[in-house]
mmCIF file of all heavy atoms in Angstrom:
data_model
loop_
_atom_site.group_PDB
_atom_site.id
_atom_site.type_symbol
_atom_site.label_atom_id
_atom_site.label_comp_id
_atom_site.label_asym_id
_atom_site.label_seq_id
_atom_site.Cartn_x
_atom_site.Cartn_y
_atom_site.Cartn_z
ATOM 1 N N ASP A 287 10.800 18.470 -44.159
ATOM 2 C CA ASP A 287 11.204 19.435 -43.069
ATOM 3 C C ASP A 287 12.435 18.724 -42.340
ATOM 4 O O ASP A 287 12.390 17.578 -41.840
ATOM 5 C CB ASP A 287 9.932 19.465 -42.046
ATOM 6 C CG ASP A 287 10.196 20.461 -40.986
ATOM 7 O OD1 ASP A 287 11.329 20.521 -40.469
ATOM 8 O OD2 ASP A 287 9.230 21.157 -40.578
ATOM 9 N N ALA A 288 13.475 19.408 -42.332
ATOM 10 C CA ALA A 288 14.734 18.875 -41.761
ATOM 11 C C ALA A 288 14.594 18.461 -40.321
ATOM 12 O O ALA A 288 15.398 17.600 -39.858
ATOM 13 C CB ALA A 288 15.851 19.947 -41.858
ATOM 14 N N ARG A 289 13.601 19.028 -39.566
ATOM 15 C CA ARG A 289 13.431 18.588 -38.204
ATOM 16 C C ARG A 289 12.750 17.239 -38.076
ATOM 17 O O ARG A 289 12.816 16.559 -37.119
ATOM 18 C CB ARG A 289 12.623 19.687 -37.462
ATOM 19 C CG ARG A 289 13.162 21.001 -37.350
ATOM 20 C CD ARG A 289 12.290 22.077 -36.972
ATOM 21 N NE ARG A 289 11.121 22.226 -37.983
ATOM 22 C CZ ARG A 289 10.133 23.098 -37.793
ATOM 23 N NH1 ARG A 289 10.115 23.777 -36.726
ATOM 24 N NH2 ARG A 289 9.305 23.187 -38.781
ATOM 25 N N ILE A 290 11.991 16.875 -39.168
ATOM 26 C CA ILE A 290 11.283 15.680 -39.222
ATOM 27 C C ILE A 290 11.385 14.971 -40.588
ATOM 28 O O ILE A 290 10.429 14.807 -41.311
ATOM 29 C CB ILE A 290 9.760 15.839 -38.795
ATOM 30 C CG1 ILE A 290 9.165 16.968 -39.618
ATOM 31 C CG2 ILE A 290 9.655 16.077 -37.334
ATOM 32 C CD1 ILE A 290 7.697 17.025 -39.432
ATOM 33 N N PRO A 291 12.661 14.538 -40.995
ATOM 34 C CA PRO A 291 12.876 14.062 -42.338
ATOM 35 C C PRO A 291 11.967 12.784 -42.632
ATOM 36 O O PRO A 291 11.696 12.551 -43.783
ATOM 37 C CB PRO A 291 14.305 13.696 -42.313
ATOM 38 C CG PRO A 291 14.848 14.487 -41.171
ATOM 39 C CD PRO A 291 13.891 14.523 -40.177
ATOM 40 N N MET A 292 11.691 12.020 -41.594
ATOM 41 C CA MET A 292 10.867 10.772 -41.884
ATOM 42 C C MET A 292 9.385 11.132 -41.797
ATOM 43 O O MET A 292 8.633 10.695 -42.642
ATOM 44 C CB MET A 292 11.267 9.704 -40.862
ATOM 45 C CG MET A 292 10.567 8.354 -41.095
ATOM 46 S SD MET A 292 10.953 7.148 -39.788
ATOM 47 C CE MET A 292 12.794 7.156 -39.950
ATOM 48 N N SER A 293 8.946 11.864 -40.739
ATOM 49 C CA SER A 293 7.541 12.142 -40.618
ATOM 50 C C SER A 293 6.980 12.941 -41.701
ATOM 51 O O SER A 293 5.757 12.861 -41.997
ATOM 52 C CB SER A 293 7.390 12.837 -39.242
ATOM 53 O OG SER A 293 7.819 12.042 -38.173
ATOM 54 N N SER A 294 7.833 13.837 -42.273
ATOM 55 C CA SER A 294 7.293 14.666 -43.343
ATOM 56 C C SER A 294 7.506 14.095 -44.755
ATOM 57 O O SER A 294 7.033 14.792 -45.790
ATOM 58 C CB SER A 294 8.012 16.030 -43.350
ATOM 59 O OG SER A 294 9.422 15.917 -43.507
ATOM 60 N N ALA A 295 7.913 12.882 -44.869
ATOM 61 C CA ALA A 295 8.026 12.186 -46.141
ATOM 62 C C ALA A 295 6.652 11.468 -46.469
ATOM 63 O O ALA A 295 6.245 10.604 -45.777
ATOM 64 C CB ALA A 295 9.136 11.157 -46.127
ATOM 65 N N ASN A 296 5.976 11.998 -47.444
ATOM 66 C CA ASN A 296 4.682 11.442 -47.787
ATOM 67 C C ASN A 296 4.799 10.054 -48.543
ATOM 68 O O ASN A 296 5.249 10.062 -49.626
ATOM 69 C CB ASN A 296 3.928 12.380 -48.651
ATOM 70 C CG ASN A 296 2.501 12.026 -48.912
ATOM 71 O OD1 ASN A 296 2.071 10.911 -48.748
ATOM 72 N ND2 ASN A 296 1.633 13.139 -49.148
ATOM 73 N N PRO A 297 4.307 8.951 -47.895
ATOM 74 C CA PRO A 297 4.482 7.670 -48.606
ATOM 75 C C PRO A 297 3.705 7.655 -49.906
ATOM 76 O O PRO A 297 4.007 6.792 -50.772
ATOM 77 C CB PRO A 297 3.906 6.665 -47.532
ATOM 78 C CG PRO A 297 3.061 7.524 -46.640
ATOM 79 C CD PRO A 297 3.716 8.902 -46.669
ATOM 80 N N ILE A 298 2.602 8.365 -50.022
ATOM 81 C CA ILE A 298 1.885 8.345 -51.287
ATOM 82 C C ILE A 298 2.677 8.929 -52.416
ATOM 83 O O ILE A 298 2.670 8.432 -53.534
ATOM 84 C CB ILE A 298 0.535 9.263 -51.130
ATOM 85 C CG1 ILE A 298 -0.435 8.514 -50.182
ATOM 86 C CG2 ILE A 298 -0.096 9.507 -52.454
ATOM 87 C CD1 ILE A 298 -1.710 9.181 -50.008
ATOM 88 N N LEU A 299 3.407 9.987 -52.107
ATOM 89 C CA LEU A 299 4.326 10.580 -53.142
ATOM 90 C C LEU A 299 5.356 9.550 -53.613
ATOM 91 O O LEU A 299 5.635 9.468 -54.828
ATOM 92 C CB LEU A 299 4.986 11.814 -52.560
ATOM 93 C CG LEU A 299 4.143 12.952 -52.207
ATOM 94 C CD1 LEU A 299 5.079 14.159 -51.792
ATOM 95 C CD2 LEU A 299 3.322 13.412 -53.361
#
Side-chain angles (χ1 to χ4, degrees):
D287 188 320
R289 298 166 296 178
I290 50 171
M292 187 184 302
S293 299
S294 59
N296 190 334
I298 288 179
L299 294 184

